[in-house]
Amino acid sequence: MDRLEFRLLGSIDACVGGRRLDTGPRKRRYVLAALLLDLNRPVPVERLIDAVWEGDPPDSARMTVQGHVYRLRRTLVGARVETDSSGYVLLADPESVDALRFRRLLAEAARRDDGSGADLLDEALALWRGPALGGSGGGRSLEVAAVELEEARLAAVEELARRRLRLGEPERLVAPLRASVTANPHRERLVSLLMTAFYQVGRQAEALELYERTRRLLADQLGVDPGRELRSTFESLLSAQA
């Protein structure tokens, strides 16, 4: 029998055998996401309400959440949603939730300082399908969780790049780092790593052009100069050319 899988690293989905289940309207998926983020732990109704509504919730919020949980119970065959004294708990295998699997792979990679650690980071990043929690749009607690997941993803991209550079594999980095820099042009550490990758594959001019483009962007949009790490990378590349 195919296992029930939950996806949070992109749109909020439940799938069986690759087939998406109908988990209902947007607010019901927010309830599901909140339960999954605290999988196997009780989630108070108040926290579920906070995950669903951006501002002040309506008077019917508690009853609406109860209705969403009732329907999720009928949809999620293979998982159990139990009532707790303060709210609800979704019981399932943590490996069935991509965000929890992502966190586990990061923790395992942190314990390995060889090529296998880089491979684990590759595996973790391959779980992503789009913005965390579908870009959220839910209440404050989901917005915070989405930001934390996105930060963990970018940190993993940076750590993977550092490891691949140390292993002498810059050619594997240029395309994914370029995509990450395009999406996060103000993130100086990503820029620094892409500059280094460019340089190591013989594309020195592109490395220096990237620095100048980033320097102008930081000045025009944020009114700041490049930080110490990015300046140091630039100066090191200039020295290596001399």
Side-chain angles (χ1 to χ4, degrees):
M1 182 177 177
D2 291 322
R3 186 173 73 164
L4 181 62
E5 300 277 350
F6 299 101
R7 298 174 179 175
L8 299 176
L9 304 181
S11 56
I12 303 167
D13 293 318
C15 304
V16 174
R19 178 180 60 86
R20 291 174 60 184
L21 300 178
D22 181 6
T23 50
R26 181 168 47 94
K27 284 183 168 55
R28 190 173 307 155
R29 294 195 299 274
Y30 293 156
V31 171
L32 174 60
L35 290 169
L36 289 170
L37 288 167
D38 275 308
L39 190 71
N40 299 324
R41 295 195 297 263
V43 182
V45 172
E46 289 74 16
R47 195 184 308 166
L48 295 176
I49 292 172
D50 187 51
V52 173
W53 282 276
E54 297 179 53
D56 292 333
D59 294 339
S60 60
R62 180 176 290 268
M63 184 177 299
T64 300
V65 164
Q66 291 171 345
H68 287 317
V69 170
Y70 171 78
R71 287 167 178 80
L72 286 172
R73 280 176 168 147
R74 296 173 65 87
T75 302
L76 302 178
V77 178
R80 300 201 318 275
V81 183
E82 296 187 351
T83 302
D84 178 79
S85 58
S86 61
Y88 301 96
V89 55
L90 196 163
L91 300 172
D93 179 0
E95 285 296 296
S96 69
V97 184
D98 60 359
L100 302 185
R101 196 155 68 249
F102 172 72
R103 295 283 195 184
R104 176 184 63 75
L105 288 166
L106 295 190
E108 287 187 19
R111 294 192 290 269
R112 304 190 192 184
D113 198 33
D114 55 8
S116 65
D119 291 340
L120 287 170
L121 289 170
D122 268 327
E123 184 181 346
L125 290 166
L127 295 171
W128 285 77
R129 299 167 294 107
L133 306 177
S136 190
R140 179 181 174 278
S141 63
L142 277 200
E143 291 292 346
V144 169
V147 169
E148 290 175 348
L149 284 167
E150 289 290 349
E151 176 58 31
R153 180 181 67 84
L154 288 174
V157 170
E158 292 167 351
E159 178 61 20
L160 175 61
R162 282 193 289 267
R163 294 191 184 211
R164 291 292 183 208
L165 289 171
R166 192 170 67 236
L167 291 167
E169 301 171 336
E171 65 283 348
R172 299 181 60 174
L173 297 174
V174 171
L177 277 177
R178 191 203 293 270
S180 293
V181 167
T182 298
N184 303 273
H186 302 108
R187 195 168 177 104
E188 295 185 40
R189 182 161 296 168
L190 282 175
V191 174
S192 176
L193 289 162
L194 179 55
M195 287 173 60
T196 303
F198 272 144
Y199 192 87
Q200 290 188 9
V201 297
R203 296 161 66 174
Q204 292 89 342
E206 289 179 77
L208 300 180
E209 288 169 8
L210 175 60
Y211 175 82
E212 181 58 25
R213 188 163 64 249
T214 303
R215 184 192 67 75
R216 291 197 303 268
L217 183 73
L218 292 172
D220 293 345
Q221 296 189 2
L222 303 180
V224 299
D225 294 323
R228 180 182 303 174
E229 181 178 355
L230 187 54
R231 290 199 314 271
S232 176
T233 299
F234 174 67
E235 292 163 2
S236 295
L237 298 187
L238 282 180
S239 298
Q241 278 194 315

